[in-house]
Amino acid sequence: MSLMTTTTLLKMALLSAMLCCFALAQESAGSWAPSLTSIAQAMEKAQAEAHPQAPYQVIREYRVFGANNSSADSVVVAAVDFRPPRSQNYNIQSWSGSSRGQQVVRRILDHEAEAAAKVNQPRTASITSDNYDFTYIGETVLDGQPCYLLGLKPKRKEKDLISGEAWLDKQSFLVRHIEGELAKTPSWWLKRVRVKLAFADIEGTWLQTGMEAVADVRILGPHTLTSRILDYRGTDVVAFKTLGPSGVRYRDRKHKGRSD
């Protein structure tokens, strides 16, 4: 074998080894997964920093659908006031259809207000290691935004906790979406409740923007409750409602009749 042939073979072998190493490096980089602990810590830090500092109000629309109904049995519109750190109240602005829908919405909003008022207790619904064991499922894209997909396993059977999955924004580490079943149903009449929660930034405030809950009701079958934000109002609106023009604290009156 000539010296030229030997040199050529050595060069080819070296090039092949370099390409192999490069391919392995690419495969390693592509399959690399971040530390679950670091993701959870960043998520908890982001949640703590995302708590609003100024009062705001959201106008929510709730719709209640009975079993096998394509149109809503009841539509309820509520104004919900938030005054950080933990004060919340609401006013039913209008409702139509079955009065059952209004009763369901009032129970939900009363529960939210009671949970918000517990100043000395941690938020039971927070996606934190105090409430959940996490598993790393992988990376995905939601509405064009790269996300980490985490499995949620509640540490306790509570109606504010969800057994399912969370879509975590890779840039902000805030939760964009949650799907799963309530760890504990709110009532004996409900065999199970599956929920979908959507979150997004609205004028600098990270909020729950939508919800769908499908409840398997004993005897009656599946019923669905949805909510969405119709409007967001900042500090000025809530401040005016807190102290009216006369300087006297303003208290919302809950509607006793339906409003068209």
Side-chain angles (χ1 to χ4, degrees), residues 150-164:
L150 302 183
L152 304 178
K153 182 180 179 181
K155 291 186 174 181
R156 302 172 301 280
K157 286 198 172 184
E158 294 182 0
K159 59 186 177 182
D160 289 324
L161 300 182
I162 298 171
S163 177

Side-chain angles (χ1 to χ4, degrees), residues 1-10:
M1 184 180 293
S2 66
L3 178 61
M4 181 176 295
T5 302
T6 303
T7 303
T8 301
L9 289 175
L10 287 173

Side-chain angles (χ1 to χ4, degrees), residues 186-243:
S187 166
W188 178 88
W189 286 100
L190 307 177
K191 291 192 287 186
R192 65 180 60 86
V193 180
R194 182 161 186 85
V195 298
K196 297 180 182 180
L197 306 177
F199 303 83
D201 179 275
I202 299 182
E203 298 186 19
T205 302
W206 197 262
L207 300 175
Q208 179 183 311
T209 56
M211 178 270 292
E212 177 184 279
V214 180
D216 188 357
V217 184
R218 297 181 190 274
I219 303 175
L220 300 178
H223 282 61
T224 301
L225 170 68
T226 66
S227 77
R228 65 188 179 108
I229 290 181
L230 299 179
D231 194 12
Y232 171 90
R233 300 170 181 177
T235 305
D236 294 343
V237 172
V238 181
F240 179 80
K241 293 187 70 178
T242 303
L243 292 177

Side-chain angles (χ1 to χ4, degrees), residues 95-166:
W95 62 276
S96 61
S98 170
S99 61
R100 178 63 179 167
Q102 184 185 175
Q103 295 171 7
V104 170
V105 171
R106 286 192 184 279
R107 288 180 184 176
I108 292 172
L109 292 173
D110 285 340
H111 177 69
E112 287 184 9
E114 289 170 4
K118 296 178 180 179
V119 179
N120 297 322
Q121 298 183 25
R123 293 181 183 272
T124 56
S126 297
I127 310 300
T128 66
S129 56
D130 289 335
N131 296 325
Y132 291 95
D133 289 320
F134 301 113
T135 55
Y136 179 79
I137 298 175
E139 298 184 14
T140 186
V141 176
L142 178 68
D143 298 331
Q145 299 297 321
C147 295
Y148 295 120
L149 185 59
L150 302 183
L152 304 178
K153 182 180 179 181
K155 291 186 174 181
R156 302 172 301 280
K157 286 198 172 184
E158 294 182 0
K159 59 186 177 182
D160 289 324
L161 300 182
I162 298 171
S163 177
E165 298 174 345

Side-chain angles (χ1 to χ4, degrees), residues 24-84:
L24 287 174
Q26 280 192 318
E27 181 180 353
S28 176
S31 60
W32 176 84
S35 163
L36 177 59
T37 300
S38 64
I39 291 177
Q41 290 174 345
M43 175 177 60
E44 293 185 22
K45 182 175 182 292
Q47 287 183 90
E49 293 176 349
H51 287 164
Q53 301 300 315
Y56 66 94
Q57 180 189 80
V58 293
I59 309 299
R60 289 183 190 160
E61 178 191 71
Y62 294 86
R63 290 178 175 264
V64 180
F65 299 82
N68 303 319
N69 285 354
S70 57
S71 58
D73 293 340
S74 181
V75 179
V76 181
V77 175
V80 188
D81 295 337
F82 298 86
R83 299 182 181 88

